[in-house]
Amino acid sequence: MRKKAFKLWLETYGKHGVEPMSKRPIDDALSRCNRIEKGLAVDLDIEYEQDRGESILALLEYTKDDKNVGKEAPKGLFFKQGADLYNAMASLRSAVKKYFEFYTATK
């Protein structure tokens, strides 16, 4: 992941690709992408190059049905006891989508 470039892009274009994001959402996106890279032992740049990120996004997919049947998070991703996995996984997935938006825009 190109952290510095991603942060600069978020500060400039991160909100809908046309306007700056504020500091907290930027920090959250960076933290979540870093958490995914470390927890799953992946590089988001390589993931995008392999299949436009489809496999990592599929891995991060977590539906309400998954929640209802008690499906666990992917190995390597840990959450606090009692965390709402549906919302937590959606936040991680959203951060990765934002990174792939940056990646596409700056290729």
Side-chain angles (χ1 to χ4, degrees):
M1 177 172 64
R2 296 177 290 148
K3 293 176 190 169
K4 289 181 183 179
F6 183 37
K7 182 178 181 184
L8 179 61
W9 183 84
L10 291 171
E11 291 170 344
T12 309
Y13 306 107
K15 192 172 183 182
H16 310 294
V18 294
E19 61 184 89
M21 287 176 77
S22 57
K23 182 177 178 358
R24 178 63 188 219
I26 290 171
D27 291 344
D28 289 345
L30 289 167
S31 175
R32 289 174 181 141
C33 287
N34 190 51
R35 181 176 174 192
I36 290 164
E37 284 195 327
K38 285 185 178 182
L40 300 178
V42 298
D43 181 311
L44 292 177
D45 294 318
I46 293 171
E47 291 295 318
Y48 189 85
E49 285 297 321
Q50 287 177 344
D51 63 1
R52 297 183 52 122
E54 290 178 19
S55 60
I56 191 80
L57 290 172
L59 181 65
L60 296 172
E61 183 74 31
Y62 195 90
T63 66
K64 289 195 179 201
D65 287 339
D66 293 334
K67 179 181 177 176
N68 291 337
V69 299
K71 180 180 174 184
E72 293 183 8
K75 292 193 185 305
L77 294 179
F78 301 97
F79 300 91
K80 292 179 183 175
Q81 183 85 19
D84 181 343
L85 284 182
Y86 177 76
N87 288 329
M89 292 294 290
S91 293
L92 293 176
R93 194 167 195 272
S94 177
V96 170
K97 283 183 172 182
K98 184 58 75 175
Y99 186 79
F100 290 157
E101 182 183 340
F102 150 76
Y103 190 91
T104 302
T106 60
K107 239 168 119 172

